[in-house]
Coordinates of all heavy atoms in Angstrom, one line a residue:
L93 N 192.5 176.4 -38.0 CA 193.9 176.8 -37.8 C 194.5 177.5 -39.1 O 195.4 178.3 -38.9 CB 194.7 175.6 -37.4 CG 194.4 175.0 -36.1 CD1 195.3 173.8 -35.9 CD2 194.5 176.0 -34.9
E94 N 193.9 177.2 -40.2 CA 194.5 177.7 -41.5 C 193.7 178.7 -42.2 O 194.1 179.3 -43.2 CB 194.9 176.5 -42.4 CG 195.8 175.6 -41.7 CD 196.4 174.5 -42.7 OE1 196.5 174.8 -43.8 OE2 196.8 173.4 -42.2
G95 N 192.5 179.0 -41.7 CA 191.7 180.1 -42.2 C 191.1 179.8 -43.6 O 190.6 180.7 -44.3
E96 N 191.1 178.5 -44.0 CA 190.5 178.1 -45.2 C 189.7 176.9 -45.0 O 190.0 176.1 -44.2 CB 191.6 177.7 -46.2 CG 192.6 178.9 -46.6 CD 193.7 178.4 -47.5 OE1 193.3 177.7 -48.5 OE2 194.8 178.8 -47.3
R97 N 188.6 176.8 -45.8 CA 187.7 175.7 -45.6 C 188.2 174.5 -46.4 O 187.6 174.0 -47.4 CB 186.2 176.0 -46.0 CG 185.6 177.1 -45.1 CD 184.2 177.3 -45.4 NE 183.4 176.2 -45.0 CZ 182.9 175.9 -43.8 NH1 183.2 176.8 -42.8 NH2 182.1 174.9 -43.6
K98 N 189.3 174.0 -45.9 CA 189.9 172.7 -46.5 C 190.6 171.9 -45.5 O 191.0 172.5 -44.4 CB 190.8 173.1 -47.7 CG 192.1 173.7 -47.3 CD 193.0 173.9 -48.4 CE 194.4 174.6 -48.0 NZ 195.3 174.7 -49.1
I99 N 190.7 170.6 -45.7 CA 191.3 169.8 -44.7 C 192.7 169.3 -45.3 O 193.0 169.6 -46.5 CB 190.5 168.6 -44.3 CG1 190.1 167.7 -45.5 CG2 189.2 169.1 -43.6 CD1 189.4 166.4 -45.1
M100 N 193.5 168.7 -44.4 CA 194.8 168.1 -44.8 C 195.7 169.2 -45.3 O 196.4 169.1 -46.3 CB 194.6 167.1 -45.9 CG 193.8 165.9 -45.5 SD 194.5 165.0 -44.0 CE 196.0 164.3 -44.7
G101 N 195.8 170.3 -44.5 CA 196.7 171.4 -44.7 C 198.0 171.2 -44.0 O 198.3 170.1 -43.5
H102 N 198.8 172.3 -43.8 CA 200.1 172.2 -43.2 C 199.9 171.8 -41.7 O 200.7 171.1 -41.1 CB 200.8 173.6 -43.2 CG 201.2 173.9 -44.6 ND1 202.1 173.2 -45.4 CD2 200.8 175.0 -45.4 CE1 202.2 173.8 -46.6 NE2 201.5 174.8 -46.6
S103 N 198.8 172.3 -41.0 CA 198.6 172.0 -39.6 C 198.4 170.5 -39.5 O 198.7 169.9 -38.5 CB 197.5 172.8 -39.1 OG 196.2 172.4 -39.7
T104 N 197.7 169.8 -40.5 CA 197.5 168.4 -40.4 C 198.8 167.6 -40.5 O 198.9 166.6 -39.8 CB 196.5 168.0 -41.5 OG1 195.4 168.9 -41.6 CG2 196.0 166.6 -41.3
L105 N 199.7 168.1 -41.4 CA 201.0 167.4 -41.5 C 201.7 167.5 -40.2 O 202.4 166.6 -39.8 CB 201.7 168.0 -42.7 CG 201.0 167.8 -44.1 CD1 201.9 168.5 -45.2 CD2 200.9 166.4 -44.4
D106 N 201.7 168.7 -39.6 CA 202.4 168.8 -38.3 C 201.8 167.9 -37.2 O 202.5 167.4 -36.4 CB 202.2 170.3 -37.9 CG 202.9 170.6 -36.6 OD1 204.2 170.3 -36.5 OD2 202.2 171.0 -35.6
L107 N 200.4 167.8 -37.3 CA 199.7 166.9 -36.4 C 200.2 165.5 -36.5 O 200.4 164.7 -35.6 CB 198.2 167.1 -36.6 CG 197.3 166.1 -35.7 CD1 197.5 166.5 -34.2 CD2 195.9 166.2 -36.1
L108 N 200.3 165.0 -37.8 CA 200.7 163.6 -38.0 C 202.1 163.4 -37.5 O 202.4 162.3 -37.0 CB 200.7 163.4 -39.6 CG 199.3 163.1 -40.2 CD1 199.4 163.1 -41.7 CD2 198.7 161.8 -39.6
E109 N 203.0 164.4 -37.6 CA 204.3 164.3 -37.1 C 204.3 164.2 -35.5 O 205.0 163.4 -34.9 CB 205.2 165.5 -37.5 CG 206.6 165.4 -37.1 CD 207.4 164.3 -37.7 OE1 206.9 163.8 -38.8 OE2 208.4 163.9 -37.2
T110 N 203.4 164.9 -34.9 CA 203.2 164.9 -33.5 C 202.7 163.5 -33.1 O 203.2 162.9 -32.1 CB 202.1 165.9 -33.0 OG1 202.6 167.2 -33.4 CG2 201.9 165.8 -31.5
Y111 N 201.8 162.9 -33.8 CA 201.3 161.6 -33.5 C 202.5 160.6 -33.7 O 202.7 159.7 -32.8 CB 200.3 161.1 -34.6 CG 198.9 161.8 -34.4 CD1 197.9 161.7 -35.4 CD2 198.5 162.5 -33.2 CE1 196.7 162.2 -35.2 CE2 197.3 163.1 -33.1 CZ 196.4 162.9 -34.1 OH 195.1 163.5 -34.0
R112 N 203.3 160.7 -34.7 CA 204.4 159.8 -34.9 C 205.4 159.9 -33.8 O 206.0 158.8 -33.4 CB 205.0 160.0 -36.3 CG 204.2 159.4 -37.5 CD 205.0 159.4 -38.8 NE 205.3 160.8 -39.2 CZ 204.4 161.3 -40.1 NH1 203.4 160.7 -40.6 NH2 204.7 162.6 -40.5
N113 N 205.7 161.1 -33.4 CA 206.7 161.3 -32.4 C 206.3 160.7 -31.0 O 207.1 160.4 -30.2 CB 207.0 162.8 -32.2 CG 207.8 163.4 -33.3 OD1 208.4 162.6 -34.1 ND2 207.7 164.7 -33.5
A114 N 204.9 160.5 -30.9 CA 204.4 159.9 -29.6 C 204.2 158.4 -29.8 O 203.7 157.7 -29.0 CB 203.1 160.5 -29.2
G115 N 204.6 157.9 -31.0 CA 204.5 156.4 -31.3 C 203.1 156.0 -31.6 O 202.7 154.9 -31.3
V116 N 202.3 156.9 -32.2 CA 200.9 156.6 -32.5 C 200.7 156.6 -34.0 O 201.1 157.4 -34.7 CB 200.0 157.7 -31.9 CG1 198.6 157.6 -32.3 CG2 200.1 157.7 -30.3
D117 N 199.9 155.6 -34.4 CA 199.4 155.5 -35.8 C 197.9 155.4 -35.7 O 197.4 154.8 -34.8 CB 199.9 154.3 -36.5 CG 201.4 154.4 -36.9 OD1 201.7 155.5 -37.4 OD2 202.2 153.5 -36.7
L118 N 197.2 156.1 -36.6 CA 195.7 156.0 -36.6 C 195.3 154.6 -36.9 O 195.9 153.9 -37.7 CB 195.1 157.0 -37.6 CG 195.3 158.4 -37.3 CD1 194.8 159.3 -38.4 CD2 194.5 158.8 -36.0
S119 N 194.2 154.2 -36.2 CA 193.7 152.8 -36.5 C 193.2 152.7 -37.9 O 192.7 153.6 -38.5 CB 192.5 152.6 -35.5 OG 191.8 151.4 -35.9
D120 N 193.4 151.5 -38.5 CA 192.8 151.2 -39.8 C 191.3 151.4 -39.9 O 190.8 151.6 -40.9 CB 193.2 149.8 -40.2 CG 194.7 149.6 -40.5 OD1 195.4 150.6 -40.7 OD2 195.2 148.4 -40.4
N121 N 190.7 151.3 -38.7 CA 189.2 151.5 -38.7 C 188.8 152.9 -38.7 O 187.6 153.2 -38.9 CB 188.6 150.8 -37.4 CG 188.8 149.3 -37.5 OD1 188.8 148.6 -38.5 ND2 189.1 148.7 -36.3
F122 N 189.7 153.8 -38.5 CA 189.4 155.3 -38.5 C 189.5 155.8 -39.9 O 190.5 155.9 -40.5 CB 190.4 156.0 -37.6 CG 190.0 157.4 -37.3 CD1 189.0 157.7 -36.4 CD2 190.5 158.5 -38.0 CE1 188.6 159.0 -36.1 CE2 190.1 159.8 -37.8 CZ 189.2 160.1 -36.8
R123 N 188.3 156.2 -40.4 CA 188.2 156.5 -41.8 C 188.1 158.0 -42.1 O 187.8 158.5 -43.1 CB 186.9 155.9 -42.4 CG 186.9 154.4 -42.2 CD 188.0 153.7 -43.0 NE 187.9 152.3 -43.0 CZ 188.8 151.5 -43.5 NH1 189.9 152.0 -44.1 NH2 188.7 150.2 -43.4
D124 N 188.5 158.8 -41.1 CA 188.3 160.3 -41.2 C 189.7 160.9 -41.2 O 190.8 160.2 -41.1 CB 187.5 160.8 -40.1 CG 186.5 161.9 -40.6 OD1 187.0 162.8 -41.4 OD2 185.3 161.9 -40.2
A125 N 189.8 162.2 -41.3 CA 191.0 163.0 -41.3 C 191.7 162.9 -39.9 O 191.0 162.8 -38.9 CB 190.8 164.4 -41.7
P126 N 193.0 163.0 -39.9 CA 193.7 162.8 -38.6 C 193.5 164.0 -37.6 O 193.7 163.8 -36.4 CB 195.2 162.7 -39.0 CG 195.3 163.3 -40.3 CD 194.0 163.0 -41.0
D127 N 193.0 165.1 -38.1 CA 192.7 166.2 -37.2 C 191.2 166.3 -36.9 O 190.7 167.4 -36.5 CB 193.2 167.6 -37.8 CG 192.6 167.9 -39.1 OD1 191.9 167.0 -39.7 OD2 192.7 169.1 -39.6
H128 N 190.5 165.2 -37.0 CA 189.1 165.2 -36.6 C 189.0 165.3 -35.1 O 189.9 164.9 -34.4 CB 188.5 163.8 -37.0 CG 187.0 163.7 -36.8 ND1 186.4 163.5 -35.6 CD2 185.9 163.8 -37.6 CE1 185.1 163.4 -35.6 NE2 184.8 163.7 -36.9
I129 N 188.0 166.0 -34.6 CA 187.9 166.3 -33.2 C 188.0 165.0 -32.3 O 188.7 165.0 -31.3 CB 186.6 167.0 -32.8 CG1 186.5 167.4 -31.4 CG2 185.4 166.3 -33.3 CD1 187.5 168.4 -30.9
A130 N 187.4 163.9 -32.8 CA 187.4 162.7 -32.0 C 188.9 162.1 -31.9 O 189.3 161.6 -30.9 CB 186.5 161.6 -32.6
A131 N 189.6 162.2 -33.0 CA 191.0 161.7 -33.1 C 191.9 162.5 -32.1 O 192.7 161.9 -31.4 CB 191.5 161.8 -34.5
E132 N 191.7 163.8 -32.1 CA 192.5 164.6 -31.2 C 192.2 164.4 -29.7 O 193.1 164.4 -28.9 CB 192.4 166.1 -31.6 CG 193.0 166.4 -33.0 CD 193.4 167.8 -33.2 OE1 193.5 168.6 -32.2 OE2 193.6 168.2 -34.4
L133 N 190.9 164.2 -29.4 CA 190.5 163.9 -28.1 C 191.1 162.5 -27.6 O 191.5 162.3 -26.5 CB 189.0 163.9 -27.9 CG 188.3 165.3 -28.0 CD1 186.8 165.1 -28.2 CD2 188.6 166.1 -26.8
E134 N 191.0 161.6 -28.6 CA 191.6 160.2 -28.3 C 193.1 160.3 -28.1 O 193.6 159.6 -27.3 CB 191.3 159.3 -29.4 CG 189.8 158.9 -29.5 CD 189.5 157.6 -28.7 OE1 190.4 157.2 -28.0 OE2 188.4 157.1 -28.8
F135 N 193.8 161.2 -28.8 CA 195.2 161.3 -28.6 C 195.5 161.9 -27.2 O 196.5 161.4 -26.6 CB 195.8 162.3 -29.7 CG 197.3 162.4 -29.6 CD1 198.1 161.3 -29.9 CD2 197.9 163.6 -29.4 CE1 199.5 161.4 -29.8 CE2 199.3 163.7 -29.3 CZ 200.0 162.6 -29.5
M136 N 194.7 162.8 -26.7 CA 194.9 163.3 -25.4 C 194.7 162.2 -24.4 O 195.4 162.1 -23.4 CB 194.0 164.5 -25.1 CG 194.5 165.9 -25.6 SD 196.1 166.4 -24.8 CE 195.5 166.7 -23.1
Y137 N 193.7 161.4 -24.6 CA 193.5 160.2 -23.8 C 194.7 159.4 -23.7 O 195.1 158.9 -22.6 CB 192.3 159.4 -24.3 CG 192.2 158.0 -23.8 CD1 191.6 157.7 -22.6 CD2 192.8 156.9 -24.6 CE1 191.6 156.3 -22.2 CE2 192.7 155.6 -24.2 CZ 192.2 155.3 -22.9 OH 192.1 154.0 -22.5
L138 N 195.3 159.1 -24.8 CA 196.5 158.3 -24.9 C 197.7 158.9 -24.1 O 198.4 158.2 -23.4 CB 196.9 158.0 -26.3 CG 198.1 157.1 -26.5 CD1 197.8 155.7 -26.0 CD2 198.5 157.0 -28.0
L139 N 197.9 160.2 -24.3 CA 199.0 160.9 -23.6 C 198.8 160.8 -22.1 O 199.8 160.6 -21.4 CB 199.1 162.4 -24.1 CG 199.5 162.6 -25.5 CD1 199.5 164.1 -25.8 CD2 200.9 162.0 -25.8
V140 N 197.6 161.0 -21.6 CA 197.3 160.9 -20.2 C 197.5 159.4 -19.7 O 198.0 159.2 -18.6 CB 195.9 161.4 -19.8 CG1 195.7 161.4 -18.3 CG2 195.8 162.9 -20.3
F141 N 197.0 158.5 -20.5 CA 197.2 157.1 -20.2 C 198.7 156.7 -20.0 O 199.1 156.1 -19.0 CB 196.7 156.3 -21.4 CG 196.8 154.8 -21.2 CD1 195.8 154.1 -20.5 CD2 197.9 154.1 -21.7 CE1 195.9 152.7 -20.4 CE2 198.0 152.7 -21.5 CZ 197.0 152.0 -20.8

Side-chain angles (χ1 to χ4, degrees):
L93 296 177
E94 301 191 28
E96 301 178 40
R97 293 187 68 85
K98 67 177 185 179
I99 62 174
M100 298 302 290
H102 294 297
S103 64
T104 315
L105 298 178
D106 181 59
L107 177 66
L108 285 171
E109 185 66 20
T110 301
Y111 287 168
R112 281 193 291 267
N113 288 340
V116 172
D117 286 317
L118 289 174
S119 166
D120 291 338
N121 296 324
F122 190 79
R123 302 297 184 186
D124 222 316
D127 60 347
H128 188 281
I129 182 67
E132 295 203 13
L133 289 166
E134 288 273 5
F135 184 64
M136 277 297 294
Y137 161 83
L138 182 65
L139 292 179
V140 182
F141 179 89

